[in-house]
Amino acid sequence: EATIFTRSANYVRHIQASSVVDLFIKGIVFKNGYLTNTGAQRGGSLHLTSCNTMIQECEFSSNHAKSKSNTTTYGGAVYVNGGSLEVVRSEFSANKTSGSNCTEYGGAICTSNADLIVEDSVFTGNYCNSSQSPVFGGAIAANEGNIIIKSCEFSKNYVYCSQNKGSSFSIGGAISIRSANRFDMSDCKFEDNAGYYGKYPALKSGVYIDDTYITDGVMTSVVERCVFASRSLPTTYSNSKSNIILNGGCLFMTNCLIACASGTDSTMT
C-alpha cells in the first residue's frame, strides 16, 4: 500500500530539498499540497534545487501553488531548478498553478535549467490559471535543459487566462518547451488539451515549442509516433487546437497523427 503525504496545515508543501546527489522517491501519494504567500511560489508539493531526482510509481493529485498579484508561479505539484528529474510510471491529476495577474508555468511540473525525462506517465486535468498574464504548460513547462518525454498520455489539461487584453496569452495546453538544448518526444497521446483566454480559445494549445531565447545555435525537436486528438471539448474550447506549435528551431516529425472529430482546427503550425 502506498504511503500518502497530505497537507496537515495551510500553506505547506510536502518536500523541499537542495543539492541532493541522488534523491529516489517511490510509491508515494502526494495530495493537497498548497503553497501561497507574497512573492513567487514554486512547487505546491515538491521544490527541488540542484538535485538529481528519480520519481517512480507515485501519484500527485490536487496540489496547488498560488502566487499573489504581479509575480510568477512555478509548478503546481513539482518545481525543479537545476540538476535533473526523471519521472517513471506516475500519475498527475488536478494539480494547478494560479494567481492574479501572475505568469504561470506548469500546472503539474515545471523545470528550469534542468534535464527532464518523463516516461510511462499520465497527466489528467492539470492546469494553469491567471487573470491577465502569460500562462505556459497546463501539465508540463520545461525551460532549458535536455527534455525527453515518451510513452505518456495527456488529457484535458489546459491553460487559461481570464482576460483577453495586454500581454495575456495561453500557451501549451499540455506542454510548453522553451529554449531547451534538445527536445525528444515519442509514443505519446494527447486528447482534449486546450488553451484559452477569456471566452476565446487560444491558438497555442496542445504542445508549444519555442527557441526564441536561445542565443547560441537552434533548438532541435524530434517528435515520433504521437497522436494529437480533439474529440469532446466543451463549447468554450470549440475552436481550440489540440496540436503542436513551433516558434523557431528545427522540428522533425515522423509517423504522427493529428486528428479532430469535427471542424478543421486540429492543425500543426
Side-chain angles (χ1 to χ4, degrees):
E1 185 176 347
T3 299
I4 300 175
F5 285 7
T6 189
R7 184 175 80 245
S8 58
N10 287 331
Y11 320 133
V12 175
R13 69 166 63 90
H14 299 117
I15 295 176
Q16 182 165 349
S18 178
S19 301
V20 178
V21 175
D22 292 301
L23 177 60
F24 182 58
I25 301 170
K26 181 178 180 180
I28 297 177
V29 176
F30 296 91
K31 59 188 296 186
N32 299 325
Y34 181 48
L35 190 70
T36 185
N37 210 326
T38 57
Q41 299 302 297
R42 298 172 173 87
S45 181
L46 308 183
H47 182 178
L48 309 173
T49 302
S50 300
C51 299
N52 296 318
T53 306
M54 163 74 84
I55 294 173
Q56 188 178 105
E57 297 169 4
C58 291
E59 178 183 340
F60 293 81
S61 64
S62 300
N63 298 288
H64 183 192
K66 179 180 180 180
S67 293
K68 301 297 176 63
S69 61
N70 301 306
T71 183
T72 307
T73 316
Y74 304 89
V78 179
Y79 174 66
V80 174
N81 183 18
S84 64
L85 173 65
E86 184 171 357
V87 178
V88 180
R89 296 187 298 279
S90 295
E91 297 183 9
F92 294 78
S93 62
N95 302 287
K96 65 180 179 179
T97 66
S98 67
S100 175
N101 197 23
C102 295
T103 303
E104 310 287 332
Y105 292 94
I109 296 173
C110 176
T111 62
S112 299
N113 195 29
D115 292 336
L116 173 65
I117 299 174
V118 184
E119 183 175 2
D120 291 324
S121 296
V122 178
F123 295 79
T124 307
N126 304 283
Y127 65 95
C128 297
N129 182 6
S130 180
S131 61
Q132 190 184 329
S133 284
V135 285
F136 300 88
I140 296 173
N143 305 305
E144 304 178 307
N146 296 297
I147 314 300
I148 299 173
I149 300 174
K150 54 186 178 179
S151 302
C152 293
E153 295 185 7
F154 297 84
S155 63
K156 295 181 171 60
N157 305 284
Y158 66 91
V159 283
Y160 174 61
C161 189
S162 61
Q163 299 186 42
N164 176 23
K165 62 180 182 179
S167 61
S168 61
F169 50 85
S170 305
I171 290 180
I175 298 173
S176 171
I177 306 293
R178 305 181 77 204
S179 302
N181 297 330
R182 182 181 170 97
F183 172 47
D184 290 274
M185 184 168 69
S186 60
D187 302 298
C188 292
K189 180 180 179 181
F190 296 82
E191 184 175 353
D192 295 347
N193 301 287
Y196 66 110
Y197 48 90
K199 63 179 180 179
Y200 302 101
L203 297 179
K204 296 177 180 178
S205 60
V207 178
Y208 179 71
I209 303 170
D210 180 11
D211 82 338
T212 301
Y213 300 101
I214 290 180
T215 58
D216 183 15
V218 297
M219 182 172 80
T220 298
S221 301
V222 179
V223 178
E224 301 176 288
R225 300 178 304 279
C226 292
V227 176
F228 301 86
S230 176
R231 296 188 295 178
S232 58
L233 293 176
T235 303
T236 305
Y237 303 123
S238 59
N239 292 317
S240 190
K241 298 179 179 179
S242 187
N243 57 11
I244 185 164
I245 305 289
L246 179 67
N247 186 25
C250 296
L251 170 63
F252 301 91
M253 287 185 75
T254 58
N255 299 317
C256 293
L257 174 64
I258 301 176
C260 186
S262 62
T264 59
D265 286 311
S266 217
T267 62
M268 184 182 75
T269 59

